[in-house]
Amino acid sequence: MPLTEFIAFSLFAWIGSFTPGPNVAIAATTGVNHGLRAALPQVMGVPLGFVLMIWVIGLGGASLLSGHPYLVLFMKIAGNGYLLVLAWRLCFSASLSDSKTVHPLSVQQAAAFQMVNPKAWMMVVATTSTYAIGQTAFFSRMGWMSVGFALPCGLSILAWAWMGDKLRHWLLIGRRLRTFNIVMGVSLAMTAVWMCTL
């Protein structure tokens, strides 16, 4: 991959990974409600799911999706529906004792969540179709993209979970935790609604 393309891809991967979306909302919420250690499986699972998606799309998934618009529609409805369920649970989680309604994700769950994460699909389809599919040195490009997504994804989840963990004690005062959970739930719901319009 030429240096200019690699820089453009890397910027997209880093910015896309750290900006708000379902993964970072879940990471921050897990950090607040369960602590940093509970979010560590997500730190490993999200990059794993992203890398799997890169290879699935790169090795033919893009053709499958472009030829079956109803499959794309189903995936969009399922993914955004799941985000709305998570948002609902978060909004009604008023205290740490209620946080059992939103369990920390295991490595496998965090990886599988990417399959219904609309933001993940948008990022992976956009990058593989731009930087890998139909390009020379396909497997080399796919390898670079795998590393280029895995690193910022993992660091982003870790950073957001760490921030959530650091806010944990401050949020225990009064109704701050309830307000935080409502804000995060509403942000997830808004993400789902926004993704429906794409």
Side-chain angles (χ1 to χ4, degrees), residues 28 30 53 65 67 82 84 89 92 125-126 128 151 161 166 180 187:
T30 301
M53 287 173 68
L65 292 176
Y82 184 68
L84 290 172
R89 289 180 179 175
F92 290 96
V125 169
T128 52
L151 183 61
K166 293 304 174 191
F180 173 83
S187 72

Side-chain angles (χ1 to χ4, degrees), residues 27-36 38 89-104 164-182:
T29 303
T30 301
V32 166
N33 288 286
H34 302 282
L36 178 61
R89 289 180 179 175
L90 269 177
C91 285
F92 290 96
S93 178
S95 67
L96 290 178
S97 62
D98 293 338
S99 65
K100 60 182 178 291
T101 59
V102 182
H103 301 287
D165 183 63
K166 293 304 174 191
L167 287 173
R168 184 176 171 85
H169 297 295
W170 182 79
L171 289 171
L172 290 176
I173 300 169
R175 296 174 54 84
R176 291 175 182 171
L177 181 64
R178 176 160 179 73
T179 302
F180 173 83
N181 285 338
I182 289 172

